[in-house]
């Protein structure tokens, strides 16, 4: 599992690196970008080559030069041994979990995990006889007390979906590895540029490329990057399940990679400005953003992340529903929608109380999740300011 070799590869992918990884212009007549290879059938020139099974490409589902270019780039950025692209971030979650579990296993999943991940555990993994136990994301080294002889994996997501609790991944990974338990990390919030869970001790990193990698809300894509010990399990599971990304989506992932660094700088800056502005508003009870120095997860964020992206939440003071509706319905720059990571700003109300089981989510009022897009931040603030005026008028 997490071994020294994997750790020495870890580094912050530089703005320069992401421009050059996964590209070989002179293999494509000098054209700057790796082209979209579309294909199912791959021809073998001779009977000998067919029988030798030595061609780099054998079948469309098993990879194309476009897929391999993005996989290799992502492997280098994450400091891993291998990457598998998937058709969505959620498929990366399900494929990675299925790669390790079998009937009779027990798995530990953070209570603040992406909600569909819970559905997969509670419905499909349960049906095949895998027992899921949800744990407090703040448990740290205390995870050791929950590990049983049949515990197969610990799943972390830091910061947590919707509520942004930071997890102590190194402490959890150390405790898990002492008992030969795999560590899987959903790193979608930070992206491979702002956190490297493999270097923190995880064996497998799951990412929704749909979010910041693609970055334009125009494609679904996922990827799983693993260390050397985990890579063969992921490869086998993905191959057996027939997991493969679309050709165009893969190209959009490669294209997004080139501008990921500059986009994240802006998402981070605008996200922090909005978070600070909201924190000072009388309508807001709390802001949940680990890059704010006042956030309970700030020290862990500072230790483990190289930056913050544009997604954070707030808890409002109680307001009547019509006032909330007046605030949200009149916004002109913030859209209401679930997926995020594109260039546009978003806001969505949420409530974790119905499904959290290991911890209690007790907000003082309505919780809202914001995504800071690439618009001018002063325009975004003006839009929210007008929203609060409508809120008071309707209260
Ligand atoms: C969005 C998201 C996913 C799923 O990604 P899709 O591409 O939408 O399937 C998984 N994990 C996290 C944390 C996410 O935010």
């Amino acid at each position: 599992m997490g071994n020294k070799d994997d750790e020495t590869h870890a580094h912050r992918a530089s703005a320069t690196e992401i421009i050059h990884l996964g590209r070989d212009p002179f293999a494509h007549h000098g054209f700057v970008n790796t082209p979209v290879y579309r294909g199912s059938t791959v021809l073998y020139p001779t009977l000998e080559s067919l029988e030798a099974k030595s061609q780099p490409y054998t079948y469309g589902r098993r990879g194309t030069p476009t897929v391999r270019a993005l996989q290799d780039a992502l492997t280098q950025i994450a400091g891993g041994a291998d990457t598998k692209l998937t058709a969505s971030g959620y498929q990366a979650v399900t494929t990675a979990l299925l790669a390790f579990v079998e009937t009779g296993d027990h798995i530990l999943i953070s209570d603040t995990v992406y909600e569909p991940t819970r559905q997969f555990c509670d419905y499909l993994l349960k049906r095949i006889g895998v027992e899921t136990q949800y744990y407090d994301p703040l448990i740290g080294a205390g995870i050791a007390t929950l590990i049983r002889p049949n515990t197969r994996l610990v799943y972390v997501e830091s910061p947590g979906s919707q509520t942004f609790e930071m997890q102590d991944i190194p402490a959890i990974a150390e405790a898990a590895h002492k008992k030969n338990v795999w560590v899987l990390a959903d790193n979608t919030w930070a992206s491979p540029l702002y956190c490297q869970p493999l270097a923190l001790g995880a064996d497998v990193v799951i990412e929704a490329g749909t979010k910041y990698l693609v970055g334009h809300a125009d494609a679904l894509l996922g990827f799983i990057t693993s260390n050397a010990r985990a890579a063969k399990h992921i490869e086998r599971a993905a191959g057996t399940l027939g997991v493969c990304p679309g050709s165009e989506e893969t190209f959009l992932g490669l294209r997004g990679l080139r501008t990921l660094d500059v986009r994240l700088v802006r998402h981070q800056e605008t996200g922090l400005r909005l978070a600070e502005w909201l924190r000072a508003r009388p309508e807001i009870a709390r802001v949940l953003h680990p890059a704010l120095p006042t956030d309970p997860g700030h020290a862990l964020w500072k230790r483990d992340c190289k930056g913050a992206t544009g997604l954070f939440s707030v808890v409002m003071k109680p307001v009547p529903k019509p006032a909330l509706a007046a605030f949200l319905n009149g916004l002109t720059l913030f859209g209401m929608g679930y997926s995020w990571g594109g260039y546009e700003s978003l806001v969505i109300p949420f409530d974790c109380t119905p499904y959290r089981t290991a911890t209690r989510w007790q907000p003082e009022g309505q919780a809202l999740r914001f995504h800071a897009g690439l618009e001018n931040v002063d325009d975004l603030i003006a839009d929210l300011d007008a929203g609060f005026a409508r809120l008071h008028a309707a209260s």
Side-chain angles (χ1 to χ4, degrees):
M1 306 189 191
N3 64 43
K4 278 279 171 320
D5 273 348
D6 297 317
E7 284 166 22
T8 53
H9 294 287
H11 60 286
R12 157 83 155 88
S14 72
T16 307
E17 242 191 329
I18 63 168
I19 300 304
H20 293 280
L21 289 170
R23 274 193 322 121
D24 186 4
F26 291 100
H28 304 288
H29 311 286
F31 283 91
V32 167
N33 291 293
T34 303
V36 184
Y37 279 79
R38 300 178 192 285
S40 50
T41 312
V42 179
L43 299 180
Y44 297 76
T46 61
L47 175 64
E48 291 74 19
S49 70
L50 184 78
E51 287 176 347
K53 294 189 170 138
S54 58
Q55 278 187 194
Y57 302 100
T58 57
Y59 196 100
R61 189 187 342 108
R62 294 240 165 224
T64 68
T66 318
V67 169
R68 193 129 338 143
L70 182 52
Q71 288 183 168
D72 290 350
L74 294 170
T75 298
Q76 281 225 188
I77 293 166
D82 196 17
T83 296
K84 288 304 289 182
L85 291 182
T86 61
S88 69
Y90 185 50
Q91 192 178 50
V93 171
T94 60
T95 303
L97 283 166
L98 279 174
F100 295 101
V101 296
E102 57 190 50
T103 303
D105 283 349
H106 167 252
I107 63 174
L108 289 163
I109 306 268
S110 171
D111 205 31
T112 48
V113 78
Y114 178 62
E115 203 269 335
T117 304
R118 290 183 91 97
Q119 293 175 24
F120 183 71
C121 296
D122 296 346
Y123 172 63
L124 220 135
L125 291 188
K126 188 176 175 194
R127 274 182 50 190
I128 63 168
V130 173
E131 184 189 350
T132 300
Q133 183 178 354
Y134 295 97
Y135 67 88
D136 182 340
L138 306 182
I139 198 165
I143 197 80
T145 62
L146 302 182
I147 293 174
R148 307 177 190 167
N150 64 335
T151 303
R152 181 73 56 171
L153 63 88
V154 178
Y155 192 103
V156 300
E157 185 179 321
S158 181
S161 269
Q162 317 279 47
T163 47
F164 300 93
E165 294 86 347
M166 288 297 300
Q167 294 198 252
D168 192 340
I169 298 177
I172 290 172
E174 195 189 338
H177 289 154
K178 270 192 195 142
K179 301 195 176 172
N180 229 25
V181 170
W182 297 99
V183 178
L184 278 58
D186 186 329
N187 192 47
T188 299
W189 179 82
S191 94
L193 293 195
Y194 284 172
C195 183
Q196 307 223 297
L198 297 177
L200 298 177
D203 301 293
V204 176
V205 190
I206 293 150
E207 308 257 7
T210 306
K211 307 290 170 47
Y212 287 119
L213 179 68
V214 165
H216 293 69
D218 53 4
L220 289 155
L221 195 66
F223 51 100
I224 309 168
T225 304
S226 340
N227 64 20
R229 292 200 49 198
K232 42 187 183 289
H233 297 268
I234 297 293
E235 168 78 28
R236 185 97 194 257
T240 308
L241 289 165
V243 167
C244 68
S247 313
E248 192 73 34
E249 284 75 7
T250 303
F251 178 81
L252 291 171
L254 270 168
R255 177 168 155 147
L257 179 64
R258 310 302 171 204
T259 55
L260 185 57
D261 187 84
V262 287
R263 285 186 286 113
L264 289 187
V265 167
R266 180 70 169 266
H267 284 295
Q268 164 166 252
E269 198 178 280
T270 301
L272 278 167
R273 271 283 303 282
L274 292 181
E276 293 282 12
W277 185 82
L278 286 162
R279 194 160 62 106
R281 290 292 311 196
E283 300 85 355
I284 301 298
R286 281 190 285 152
V287 177
L288 315 173
H289 190 317
L292 290 185
T294 47
D295 191 272
H298 186 69
L300 286 179
W301 171 80
K302 215 167 154 180
R303 187 192 68 187
D304 295 343
C305 296
K306 284 123 191 157
T309 55
L311 196 76
F312 66 95
S313 291
V314 303
V315 178
M316 301 175 80
K317 291 179 187 161
V319 282
K321 197 65 164 260
L324 177 70
F327 173 74
L328 292 173
N329 293 348
L331 294 171
T332 58
L333 300 178
F334 289 82
M336 252 191 290
Y338 287 101
S339 190
W340 47 272
Y343 48 76
E344 79 288 21
S345 288
L346 301 164
V347 61
I348 194 112
F350 69 89
D351 181 12
C352 308
T353 36
Y355 53 85
R356 296 244 165 119
T357 53
T359 55
R360 295 232 2 229
W361 168 242
Q362 289 179 295
E364 301 85 328
Q366 179 63 54
L368 300 174
R369 189 190 68 188
F370 283 92
H371 179 248
L374 303 178
E375 301 92 339
N376 180 302
V377 67
D378 295 322
D379 294 337
L380 294 175
I381 287 175
D383 198 24
L384 294 177
D385 200 35
F388 285 125
R390 284 192 305 277
L391 178 148
H392 290 297
S395 289

